Amino acid sequence: MIAQLGQSLDGRIATPTGDSKYINRDAALDHLHAIRAHVDAVLVGIGTVLADDPLLTVRRVPGRSPARVILDPSGRTPRDARALADDGARRVVITRPGARAPEGVEHVALGPEDGTIPPAAILGALGALGFTRILVEGGARTISAFMDAGLVDRLHVLVAPLILGSGRAGLDLKPIGPLSQALRPRSRAYLLPDGDVLFDCDLTAGPEVVAAE
Ligand SMILES: NC(=O)c1ccc[n+]([C@@H]2O[C@H](COP(=O)([O-])OP(=O)(O)OC[C@H]3O[C@@H](n4cnc5c(N)ncnc54)[C@H](OP(=O)(O)O)[C@@H]3O)[C@@H](O)[C@H]2O)c1
């Protein structure tokens, strides 16, 4: 599973009003579409659907659009959500048991009657649908739940030289104590042609060895 965050220099993925289009510039958006073209399914939380109404298609680069999956425990997905457009890609809505999904899409009911749906169960359900390469594209709560569960293999953070100063943090993980408990994934940084920086973080590898001073 790969996750991506498009964020400002100060680690924000949206303004306080939820505006996030677009923090990144063209090369980063091209990169995001290229990842979409390489996965079986792209998954977003209902918060992202309600805030951004994303298409989640591959439009900026050649390639096939993946299946689109909305994690929507209470069945709040609007019938006319753009991610559910009938364009030939599979469309899936995951809810808790008893919640409704819009007609005409695949509906998976999962988890307890309330509270968090275990991310491992979500991953298992996606596997049962035939999806193994999955991109979690947002938002903060959804990516954080998969990160906290240790299910994200690769994290791509696309940092734009932009300071929002307020707004949504990209990640909200379980609190840690000492700095030594921080995740320190093996990472490579790439300067994109128009100034954004891609951090490609391998969360499956051990931490970088940092020499003690
Ligand atoms: N810059 C970027 O890269 C980027 C990408 C995507 C989104 N965004 C921004 O992020 C913001 C949305 O983020 P968000 O954190 O508010 O929303 P989100 O992660 O898109 O969706 C959160 C909702 O999804 C459901 N959910 C997620 N994980 C769950 C789990 N394990 N079990 C049960 N329910 C789960 C819950 O729905 P219920 O509330 O119904 O329980 C939760 O409130 C928007 O402002 C959007 O613009 C930015």
Side-chain angles (χ1 to χ4, degrees):
M1 173 174 276
I2 182 166
Q4 84 85 37
L5 286 168
Q7 69 174 44
S8 62
L9 276 181
D10 52 332
R12 320 241 183 204
I13 61 164
T15 68
T17 60
D19 191 11
S20 68
K21 284 182 178 165
Y22 290 99
I23 288 174
N24 293 110
R25 288 183 275 198
D26 282 355
L29 296 174
D30 291 348
H31 175 76
L32 172 59
H33 283 232
I35 304 175
R36 285 180 186 164
H38 282 91
V39 296
D40 302 319
V42 53
L43 174 115
V44 292
I46 181 63
T48 296
V49 172
L50 296 177
D52 299 345
D53 197 12
L55 288 163
L56 304 177
T57 57
V58 174
R59 309 181 294 285
R60 302 180 63 96
V61 300
R64 192 180 59 90
S65 289
R68 301 185 286 271
V69 183
I70 301 175
L71 182 52
D72 177 20
S74 305
R76 297 191 285 148
T77 305
R79 196 177 305 208
D80 60 352
R82 300 198 303 168
L84 298 185
D86 188 2
D87 60 357
R90 287 176 71 181
R91 297 148 296 147
V92 180
V93 174
I94 298 176
T95 70
R96 289 196 196 95
R100 295 171 65 101
E103 280 178 19
V105 304
E106 295 175 69
H107 180 196
V108 176
L110 204 62
E113 296 294 330
D114 52 22
T116 300
I117 303 173
I122 297 167
L123 197 58
L126 294 176
L129 291 170
F131 307 138
T132 50
R133 293 171 303 173
I134 294 149
L135 166 65
V136 187
E137 206 175 299
R141 179 160 169 216
T142 302
I143 291 182
S144 299
F146 281 99
M147 292 256 315
D148 269 335
L151 296 176
V152 177
D153 305 306
R154 204 75 170 245
L155 175 67
H156 279 195
V157 184
L158 291 144
V159 182
L162 171 79
I163 296 171
L164 300 188
S166 58
R168 292 297 307 259
L171 289 175
D172 187 12
L173 301 178
K174 284 184 205 139
I176 59 168
L179 196 55
S180 59
Q181 292 176 353
L183 289 173
R184 202 185 286 271
R186 284 171 197 258
S187 306
R188 284 176 181 231
Y190 302 88
L191 177 61
L192 303 183
D194 50 9
D196 289 2
V197 177
L198 163 64
F199 287 88
D200 174 11
C201 308
D202 182 356
L203 297 170
T204 65
E208 297 273 22
V209 177
V210 180
E213 301 211 16

